[in-house]
Amino acid sequence: MLHRGTDFTLFRFLARPLAAASASVRAVNVSPVLAAQATYPFVRIEQAKRAAAAKGVEIFDFGPGDPREPTDPLIRQALVDALAETRGYPKAEGLPELRAAIAGWLDRRFGASVDPDTEIVPTYGSKEAIFSFAQVVVDPVRGKDLVLVTEPGYPVPERGALFAGARVVHLPLREESGFLPDLDAIDEETLARTAILWLNYPNNPTATVAPLALFERAAELAAEHDFLLASDEAYTELWFNEPPPSALQVGDRSNVVVFNTLSKRSSMTGYRSGFVAGPRWVAEALRAYRPTVGTAPQEFVQRASVTAWDDEAHVARAREVYGRKRDVLLGALAALGWRVAGSEATMYLWVEAPAGEGSEELADSLLRHGIVVAPGAYLGPNGEGYVRIALVPTIEDCERAAAILRGLA
Ligand SMILES: Cc1ncc(COP(=O)(O)O)c(C=O)c1O
């Protein structure tokens, strides 16, 4: 059994909305959308982790999905080689060499033919592009005011939609449906008002892969009801058995927009480099919008990114390392008798909390032993009853953490 003291509750008190948590925020006119939001989940987890570390607990951080594997030396060298004496502002359209490298990768990996000049826009990682996408395409005047997001999920599409003044509709991901949304349960009025349907497969946090048929159905509905299927594909390269599909592989791509990134594939979170690939008009709209925001990646990062998209060997090595970490953790969880509900792809394990335990309660208990995990409830109400384990510590630390877990049996 896990030890449960009463003097060591680290997670719960951090969940209040900003307006309730901060008197100074209440006193000034911040955006009501911001004031209503609870602290960003991973900020809460970081706070809990620091509080535990301050009490002298040795930390094994399986919280945020921030890879700690070294970025391949080839990529780092390309960045250094690209550091010129002066570098002006990067342009929103990105370097032609980078767009060509991305198009080449999409063709090799998914057999998708995408025009590098008219259908690809490089982005500053994918988070900012996901966050701001609603600002580019939501149009309440035309009756397109809804953004559909899956839940539990990465919080950014929802938060971006709220800041853009859209209304958000949650599509629950439940285990009995294989953590896939039931698209055919969405009513006609909702479909008519939908501007964006967000899907994210391989899925954070449930570690599930979607069949191409889900993308096909979503793309079909998008074309029929005049909305965009926005497919967040941050984890397509972190798989264990078979490479997962992309929404770019559907028959009719006219309403499909794909977001991908080097962050997870190439352990390049700190570089900030991703892309959007979609219909000409979407790329054009992004090129019109993005110079105002100023989020084009620095030119030396773009040049390093060309090297990263052109090389698959370092990605295969990363997959092999994640596979070994996964085996170590799966072994320990099996010894504990805990059920892993999802571990098909991504860098996450989606683990069911033992009978009756809340996700935050379980995360708290594990933190007392130095093991940081994300409570599923932080990622949406349907995440209650699960915790997410990010396979980011080194293999040695995974082994040490696994030994601690086995000791809890
Ligand atoms: C589902 C999902 N999409 C997108 C991202 C954004 O990653 P980045 O901005 O580093 O490209 C993340 C990061 O954790 C993620 O989990």
Side-chain angles (χ1 to χ4, degrees), residues 240-316:
F240 300 107
N241 298 318
E242 266 177 63
S246 164
L248 288 174
Q249 292 170 300
V250 302
D252 175 8
R253 258 172 36 197
S254 51
N255 288 53
V256 175
V257 187
V258 160
F259 297 69
N260 211 324
T261 170
L262 288 171
S263 288
K264 318 288 172 166
R265 174 190 184 275
S266 300
S267 296
M268 287 174 69
T269 43
Y271 287 64
R272 313 312 296 137
S273 184
F275 69 84
V276 180
R280 250 182 130 98
W281 72 267
V282 172
E284 228 170 271
L286 288 169
R287 281 196 300 271
Y289 169 85
R290 294 175 59 79
T292 310
V293 190
T295 43
Q298 300 86 340
E299 197 173 313
F300 38 86
V301 169
Q302 293 194 50
R303 296 204 182 274
S305 303
V306 172
T307 303
W309 289 116
D310 280 351
D311 181 66
E312 283 303 318
H314 74 280
V315 191

Side-chain angles (χ1 to χ4, degrees), residues 35-46:
Q37 279 176 4
T39 315
Y40 192 69
F42 292 98
V43 173
R44 287 157 67 185
I45 293 165
E46 179 64 24

Side-chain angles (χ1 to χ4, degrees), residues 40 42 63-72 75 105 125-127 130 154-156 200 202-204 232-239 259-274 308-309 314-322 325 345-348 388 390-392:
Y40 192 69
F42 292 98
D66 194 351
R68 265 163 266 150
E69 297 308 319
T71 307
D72 193 84
I75 301 169
W105 178 75
S126 58
K127 185 182 207 175
I130 292 168
Y154 181 55
V156 175
N200 163 228
N203 182 252
N204 169 13
D232 170 2
E233 304 189 353
Y235 296 96
T236 50
E237 304 319 290
L238 302 187
W239 45 269
F259 297 69
N260 211 324
T261 170
L262 288 171
S263 288
K264 318 288 172 166
R265 174 190 184 275
S266 300
S267 296
M268 287 174 69
T269 43
Y271 287 64
R272 313 312 296 137
S273 184
W309 289 116
H314 74 280
V315 191
R317 284 193 294 272
R319 273 195 293 273
E320 195 264 324
V321 172
Y322 283 115
K325 295 183 191 181
T346 74
M347 57 176 68
Y348 306 115
R388 193 194 76 175
L391 300 168
V392 292

Side-chain angles (χ1 to χ4, degrees), residues 153-168:
Y154 181 55
V156 175
E158 166 160 0
R159 290 186 171 207
L162 294 172
F163 275 107
R167 290 197 39 215
V168 172

